[in-house]
Amino acid sequence: MNIAQAKQQVKDAVEAYLALDERGRPLLDIARQRPVFLVGAPGIGKTAIMAQIAQELGIGLVSYSMTHHTRQSALGLPLIVHENYEGLEYEASEYTMSEIIASVYAYIKKSGVRQGILFLDEINCVSETLYPSMLQFLQFKTFGRHAVPEGWIIVTAGNPPEYNKSVHEFDIVTLDRVKKVSVEPDFDAWKAYAVSKGTHPAILTFLEIKKHRFYSIEASLEGKSFVTARGWDDLSDIIGVFERLGKPVDFDLIVQYVQSEAIAREFAAYYDLFNKYRDDYRVDEILGGGEIDGIIDRAAEAEFDERLSLVGLLLDAVCGDMQAIVEDTEVLVALRDDLRDMKAVVEEGEGVRDLLVDLGRRRTSQLELSVAAGNLSKDRRATAERELDEIAELARVVCDGVPASQGYDFLSQAFSGKAAALQARVGHVEGRLACAFAFVEAAFGDRQEMVVFTTELTSRTVSARYIAQYGSESYFAHNADMILSERQRDLRRRVEDLNI
């Protein structure tokens, strides 16, 4: 299965293991809660989906790479204890708490989150001395005498032996104690994640054109060359930083992440072309409704790779506009809910500024706890931080000469002004999207480029959310045309089949 399917399998297992009956007991007995064992090639996103699952379920995550552990760190250190058995004194050996188990308790103490995932990566690379203890751990969820805290689910991962010389193939006894989930590289599954993350458009369009370059591991006389999903992901991040700092993105940088010389050279050449397209096609002029007759003619005569790159540039621009609207909407919705909760208290005579200051303190405390728990996504954290900025701004303005009796009315007016400004921006974005559709239609008609543009708007998370919230006349018009055109083609194919 692909990584998206594997993520759902793990998520379903975690939810099932955490489910309780009416008496607060696990629906599935803890002894029957088999640890999940993800097996797949390196760099396909096994570790990344653990963080996503924890964030989506609002639970904790503690991760360990088992290759770094010795028997002593995993099991604990031996110590001598004094015992009395039936009146006789004995000295017995015990072990201190495992570093792994102790880290879970430390996480609970720091964050206050009492449910989570203990993720042990490279589980099939443990040392020979630790292997017998791992079998006990997988069956009984204990290292020595110390068990994983209640409410914590064990998920493990490892690479097949062909990718890692240190791998010990699990025998049937071990495999019979885990839920094995095999994962294969899949571009379409990774693309959905990459688009939502904001992966650089040059990478997305390059891989859309050359899907076979997405994942590759080869061995030759010169050594190993490889390209993984992790490599593309990290390359995207560093390209964004380099572009912001004005530093060159060239083969020497790319090959540090895309560790196949042939593929790195291909992408380096494409990246230069992509930037040339970005300059030549003047996307902002297209979206702004400028004079673009020459651009339309060039696009219509371009090769397919160039046309697809141009569609990618348009998508990146309009989806960036939509992303900003969606993010600002989330901030305003959170602020609106908080201000509504304040209204009743204000009517009882509380001062608006004091309530805003107190609200800011509570939201800051909640944010700090969520950050400590590590289960807050980058986007959710940004939303929380921006709401704090809005609350602080309102508190400052209320302080500057607004009478207490008029405080809440002032807040309502201020919020209405922010909402109206956001709605005006929505109209601006709709205008840019309409220009994009008009350009694609003028340059390519209803051919494959229009299908790609409309389909991507439908499938991308941010554009789908934006259209669901605010609608889009240009999108609905062209989407309906695309559906009708597809139906016409389907009917034509059926008629042709009947004639045959």
Side-chain angles (χ1 to χ4, degrees), residues 66-76 127 129-130:
M66 295 307 296
T67 55
H68 302 153
H69 278 283
T70 63
R71 187 173 186 275
Q72 288 75 21
S73 63
L75 292 180
S127 64
T129 58
L130 187 55

Side-chain angles (χ1 to χ4, degrees), residues 118 207 253 292 321 416:
L118 173 57
L207 293 178
L253 173 69
I292 54 172
D321 294 339
S416 296

Side-chain angles (χ1 to χ4, degrees), residues 39-291:
V39 186
I44 60 175
K46 298 187 295 294
T47 304
I49 64 172
M50 292 302 111
Q52 294 170 26
I53 292 169
Q55 290 165 5
E56 291 169 12
L57 296 180
I59 60 178
L61 175 66
V62 174
S63 300
Y64 266 95
S65 174
M66 295 307 296
T67 55
H68 302 153
H69 278 283
T70 63
R71 187 173 186 275
Q72 288 75 21
S73 63
L75 292 180
L77 296 173
L79 54 87
I80 304 299
V81 296
H82 296 278
E83 298 287 355
N84 185 305
Y85 300 121
E86 297 182 348
L88 297 177
E89 297 287 336
Y90 292 93
E91 289 186 342
S93 61
E94 286 189 6
Y95 284 85
T96 58
M97 181 176 283
S98 161
E99 177 185 323
I100 296 170
I101 304 296
S103 67
V104 178
Y105 281 104
Y107 176 91
I108 294 172
K109 182 179 179 181
K110 178 181 178 181
S111 67
V113 177
R114 306 197 68 84
Q115 292 183 324
I117 297 171
L118 173 57
F119 178 58
L120 303 181
D121 200 4
E122 298 176 319
I123 191 77
N124 52 356
C125 292
V126 297
S127 64
E128 293 287 349
T129 58
L130 187 55
Y131 191 87
S133 300
M134 288 307 306
L135 184 62
Q136 176 195 8
F137 176 74
L138 292 174
Q139 182 170 7
F140 300 108
K141 289 81 175 174
T142 62
F143 274 125
R145 296 176 59 181
H146 304 286
V148 175
E150 185 177 342
W152 282 75
I153 309 304
I154 300 168
V155 180
T156 67
N159 302 134
E162 61 265 29
Y163 297 108
N164 192 329
K165 293 180 180 179
S166 302
V167 164
H168 304 289
E169 288 197 71
F170 281 169
D171 52 30
I172 294 175
V173 173
T174 305
L175 290 173
D176 196 35
R177 287 165 167 79
V178 298
K179 283 166 55 74
K180 182 180 176 182
V181 178
S182 297
V183 191
E184 297 293 335
D186 183 89
F187 171 70
D188 290 330
W190 176 81
K191 179 186 171 184
Y193 153 79
V195 168
S196 66
K197 178 182 177 291
T199 296
H200 196 282
I203 291 176
L204 289 174
T205 50
F206 173 77
L207 293 178
E208 191 68 54
I209 296 166
K210 301 184 178 184
K211 292 184 174 68
H212 62 291
R213 297 308 199 190
F214 167 61
Y215 197 97
S216 173
I217 296 180
E218 298 177 352
S220 65
L221 294 175
E222 290 77 24
K224 290 184 174 64
S225 65
F226 57 91
V227 184
T228 68
R230 182 192 295 126
W232 290 116
D233 203 15
D234 292 346
L235 176 63
S236 171
D237 290 343
I238 197 66
I239 288 177
V241 174
F242 269 47
E243 287 182 342
R244 185 169 180 176
L245 297 177
K247 294 180 178 294
V249 176
D250 53 20
F251 167 79
D252 291 333
L253 173 69
I254 293 167
V255 79
Q256 297 167 30
Y257 297 87
V258 179
Q259 298 188 49
S260 163
E261 184 172 332
I263 298 176
R265 290 196 183 281
E266 275 189 65
F267 178 70
Y270 178 80
Y271 177 79
D272 291 340
L273 275 176
F274 186 86
N275 284 325
K276 184 176 185 299
Y277 299 153
R278 184 153 46 186
D279 294 337
D280 291 351
Y281 280 107
R282 306 193 302 276
V283 170
D284 278 340
E285 289 186 33
I286 294 174
L287 299 181
E291 182 59 44

